[in-house]
Structures are given as C-alpha cells and as structure tokens.
C-alpha cells in the first residue's frame, strides 16, 4: 500500500491497532475494536472518524455564489453566511458527478467539501466549467478533518471550546478554537446522529484527536461509517449515486431546484422529471435468510427489475436491509421481491426510508 496517501492521523491509527485498508487512493482505518461496537458507540454515545481524506475546494470572486449555483443542483442563494447546504453536482446529461456540502462564508467566498475518491475528478470538472471572474483552489492538502458524531458529541466538544455550541444550528458553521487551535466547526455529519465536522490545519491533527480520545470518544473506522450512513439511508457515491444514476432516481429531488435560472444538468433532469421516473432507489427488508450485497439482482414476478446498491446487516435493527434500484412498477411500499443470493431467490419487502431516524 506504499503508493496510497496517508492522512496526518495515520500514526495515531496504528497506535490504536486499527486495521488499515485501501480506500479511494488512501490508506484508512476500517475498524479499531470492531464495526458493531463502533457503530453502537456512535448511535448511543459518541464516536469520531478521521475524514481528512475528504476534498476541500475553495471558490472565490465577486460572482462566486452565481458560479456555485451554476455548478450544483441545490440553491446556494438561499444560504446566509455561516450556513451549509447538501447538494449534488451533475453532468449535462443529468448523471451525478458527486454529492457534496457547500459552505457559504459570503457571496464572494464558498468552500465545497467533496468525496475523497472523487476530488480530482470534481476539481477538473469545476475547472472545465470555471468562469473568468472566479478563482478555484484545491485546499485538500492543507486541510484535516475529524467527524465527531453521536448523542454526546456536543457535551464532549463543549469541554474543548469556550464557544457556546448551542449557537451552531443544524447545517450551520463557525470559526472557533477547539483545544486552543483555530478550526471550522459545522453541525453536519454522515451518520444520522447529531454531531460536528471539525476542519483544521493538518499539523494539529494528532493534538485534537488525542484530546477527544482523552474525553472518552470512541474511534470509529470506515466500516462503522458505512453501516451508520446506510441505516440513515444517506447515499454513497458509487452505490446510490453515479454518472449513471441521477439525483432524482436516488430520491434526492428535494436537492434539485428547478426554479433556479440555470445549472449544469437542468435540462436533462427536467426532462426526466416531466417524463416520469422509470426506476428509483427503494429500501428493502429481507424476509428470507441472507445478506443482500451490492450488485445482487432483484426479481419481481419472475422478471429482473433492478439491483442492490447497498446492503448489509443493520446493527441497530439487527436485520438484513438493502437499498436497491428497481423499476418503478416494483417500487411501491409493501411490494414483495426476490433478491438473488448465490443463485437463489430470497424474499424481501419494499419498506419506507430512512431505516433509521434519530429522535428529536
């Protein structure tokens, strides 16, 4: 794995005995003490993830907001400074380039946080469509990130800052000191729990990580991150979103604002919407025994109607669940389908999404 990139927390992961795996060009911890234990720590207490491999792209200029709004499907003009928006970024044919968070500092200044494995592709795509009066800068190598997630996330983080964290609303962000270090802190995450994503200069990564460890925060790896996002039905690029899957098919129509004057992919997405979806992502609960895995075929009335996009044992529910792309006539809640596992059809039922939604 010598050619893989390493985050500034690599040595800390080794000290904790993490199992390291290749992921999106990076050498990352998949688990420390076990996926189920790490998963439940985030659901019931507090855990943290090294997400320094994510990409950060800065957009500056007098027309920065207009440009960002042209790039993304959601409407950045609805943001106030200090607010974050979830969005997709699409090709002209409506396929998805990536899903990302857009942070608004001001009309002239945005930060886009993109998936690690897509960062180079995203940056090239943004440069390809860049306007003359904006500046686009890749800040990924200058940025480390820790995601602190779980019901006790605020209680723990409050011990490391004098800033009243009650003032950070959901999908808001501030620039404050954490453990005496300047950080950008947003109330965002990828687990379905309350929590924070903390961005800072890489040289400070070990200090912040170890301060959180000393407060009893459980380190969690990519394995738990995936099962947590799966239970919350948060899409993963390459699974529920791709160049072949549009945000409308993925159930993200709420993040596509056709009222905007123009954006990349608008014409194709509007045509898809007006024609009616032919397929979409649904939730599945297995009735028969077996774990549905990505790519497994879905059969309805002895006809192939789609495929599993993500599937696993859901630790919180102790059930085998899946997200699947199926033809629209097989997508109604309660429909019984078959997932082909090792050549045999195993019964499953279409159920509502999300599987997990935290209480208020």
């Amino acid at each position: 794995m010598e050619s893989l990139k390493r985050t500034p927390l690599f040595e800390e992961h080794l000290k904790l005995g993490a199992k390291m795996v290749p992921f999106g060009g990076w050498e990352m911890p998949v688990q420390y003490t076990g996926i189920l234990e790490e998963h439940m720590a985030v659901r019931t207490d507090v855990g943290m993830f090294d997400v320094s491999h994510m990409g950060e792209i800065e957009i500056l200029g007098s027309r920065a907001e207009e440009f960002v709004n042209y790039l993304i499907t959601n409407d950045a003009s609805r943001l106030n400074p200090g607010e974050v928006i979830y969005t997709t970024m699409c090709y002209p044919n409506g396929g998805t380039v990536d899903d990302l968070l857009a942070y608004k500092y001001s009309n002239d200044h945005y930060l886009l946080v993109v998936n690690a494995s897509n960062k180079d592709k995203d940056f090239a795509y943004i440069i390809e469509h860049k306007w003359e009066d904006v500046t686009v800068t890749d800040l990924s190598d200058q940025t480390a990130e820790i995601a602190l997630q779980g019901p006790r996330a605020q209680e723990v983080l409050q011990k490391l800052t004098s800033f009243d964290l009650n003032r950070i609303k959901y999908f808001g962000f501030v620039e404050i000191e954490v453990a005496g270090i300047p950080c950008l802190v947003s109330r965002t995450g990828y687990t379905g729990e309350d929590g924070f994503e903390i961005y800072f200069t890489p040289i400070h990564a070990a200090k912040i990580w170890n301060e959180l460890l000393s407060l009893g925060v459980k380190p969690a790896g990519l394995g738990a991150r995936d099962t947590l996002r799966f239970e919350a039905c948060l899409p993963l690029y390459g699974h529920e979103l791709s160049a072949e899957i549009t945000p409308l098919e993925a159930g993200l129509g709420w993040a596509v604002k056709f009222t905007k004057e123009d954006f990349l992919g608008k014409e194709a997405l509007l045509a898809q919407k007006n024609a009616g979806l032919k397929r979409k992502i649904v939730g599945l609960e297995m009735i028969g025994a077996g774990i549905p895995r990505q790519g497994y075929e879905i059969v309805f009335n002895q006809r192939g109607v789609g495929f599993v996009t993500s599937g696993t044992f859901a630790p919180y529910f102790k059930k085998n669940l899946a997200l699947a792309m199926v033809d629209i006539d097989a997508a109604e809640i309660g429909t019984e389908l078959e997932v082909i596992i090792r050549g045999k059809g195993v019964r499953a039922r279409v159920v509502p999404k999300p599987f997990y939604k935290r209480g208020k």
Side-chain angles (χ1 to χ4, degrees):
M1 293 194 288
E2 291 181 358
S3 62
L4 297 173
K5 298 178 185 176
R6 293 173 172 176
T7 77
L9 288 167
F10 178 79
E11 295 297 332
E12 306 307 312
H13 300 318
L14 296 187
K15 290 177 188 174
L16 293 168
K19 179 182 179 183
M20 307 299 288
V21 297
F23 178 79
W26 294 78
E27 191 172 2
M28 298 295 293
V30 66
Q31 61 175 311
Y32 300 83
T33 57
I35 292 173
L36 298 183
E37 183 179 335
E38 294 160 27
H39 179 108
M40 292 309 296
V42 174
R43 280 277 179 264
T44 62
D45 190 44
V46 60
M48 64 176 169
F49 305 85
D50 175 12
V51 280
S52 301
H53 58 315
M54 299 292 282
E56 290 81 17
I57 298 171
E58 184 181 61
I59 312 289
L60 290 173
S62 60
R63 298 182 68 199
E65 181 161 284
E66 287 179 74
F67 177 60
V68 168
N69 236 4
Y70 176 65
L71 286 175
I72 66 175
T73 60
N74 211 332
D75 188 356
S77 70
R78 300 167 62 186
L79 294 177
N80 295 310
E83 292 182 343
V84 188
I85 200 168
Y86 172 84
T87 184
T88 53
M89 178 167 65
C90 287
Y91 295 105
N93 68 2
T96 309
V97 181
D98 203 0
D99 62 336
L100 56 98
L101 294 179
Y103 289 68
K104 178 177 180 175
Y105 287 87
S106 69
N107 290 347
D108 303 341
H109 185 187
Y110 272 79
L111 180 70
L112 307 182
V113 179
V114 304
N115 284 300
S117 56
N118 287 340
K119 191 266 292 181
D120 291 343
K121 177 189 73 174
D122 291 355
F123 186 71
Y125 188 72
I126 293 169
I127 291 295
E128 177 187 350
H129 294 279
K130 189 180 88 64
W131 296 352
E132 288 186 358
D133 39 7
V134 298
T135 302
V136 179
T137 308
D138 181 0
L139 299 180
S140 305
D141 290 341
Q142 304 166 41
T143 309
E145 182 189 352
I146 292 172
L148 181 69
Q149 301 281 294
R152 285 207 313 120
Q154 178 169 333
E155 175 191 327
V156 168
L157 188 60
Q158 193 64 76
K159 295 176 180 176
L160 298 180
T161 180
S162 60
F163 185 85
D164 180 5
L165 295 173
N166 286 314
R167 294 169 59 189
I168 309 179
K169 62 182 181 181
Y170 189 52
F171 269 64
F173 75 94
V174 294
E175 292 181 285
I176 59 176
E177 286 194 352
V178 174
I181 294 164
C183 296
L184 184 160
V185 177
S186 61
R187 197 159 205 143
T188 53
Y190 191 51
T191 62
E193 297 299 333
D194 186 20
F196 301 90
E197 293 182 295
I198 309 165
Y199 302 83
F200 47 85
T201 305
I203 195 173
H204 300 303
K207 176 176 173 54
I208 295 179
W209 178 264
N210 286 311
E211 289 273 7
L212 291 167
L213 271 182
S214 72
L215 293 172
V217 177
K218 179 88 173 167
L222 293 174
R225 186 169 163 82
D226 188 52
T227 53
L228 288 158
R229 75 89 197 166
F230 169 74
E231 283 185 345
C233 292
L234 300 172
L236 175 62
Y237 194 86
H239 292 246
E240 285 73 45
L241 287 169
S242 72
E244 289 74 40
I245 300 176
T246 73
L248 301 182
E249 294 171 323
L252 299 173
W254 57 271
V256 180
K257 304 301 186 190
F258 291 112
T259 52
K260 291 198 304 182
E261 183 176 351
D262 194 20
F263 60 88
L264 289 164
K266 179 178 180 179
E267 186 176 341
L269 290 170
L270 189 58
Q272 185 178 53
K273 179 186 177 185
N274 290 337
L277 291 178
K278 293 182 171 56
R279 60 177 192 165
K280 71 175 187 178
I281 299 282
V282 299
L284 293 182
E285 178 179 336
M286 299 303 295
I287 300 172
I291 298 178
R293 301 294 187 189
Q294 184 188 16
Y296 284 5
E297 185 182 14
I298 307 290
V299 170
F300 175 55
N301 288 340
Q302 301 182 322
R303 172 173 57 92
V305 293
F307 56 93
V308 172
T309 55
S310 296
T312 188
F313 173 75
Y316 185 80
F317 299 102
K318 296 180 173 52
K319 293 179 179 178
N320 294 325
L321 302 173
L323 294 169
M325 176 69 80
V326 300
D327 292 349
I328 207 70
D329 66 337
E332 187 174 345
I333 301 296
T335 303
E336 283 202 15
L337 309 168
E338 286 184 321
V339 180
I340 305 302
I341 301 178
R342 298 186 184 90
K344 295 183 179 178
V346 180
R347 293 170 63 210
R349 180 185 296 114
V350 179
V351 295
K353 298 185 296 175
F355 305 131
Y356 176 83
K357 190 172 184 180
R358 70 183 171 91
K360 299 294 182 184

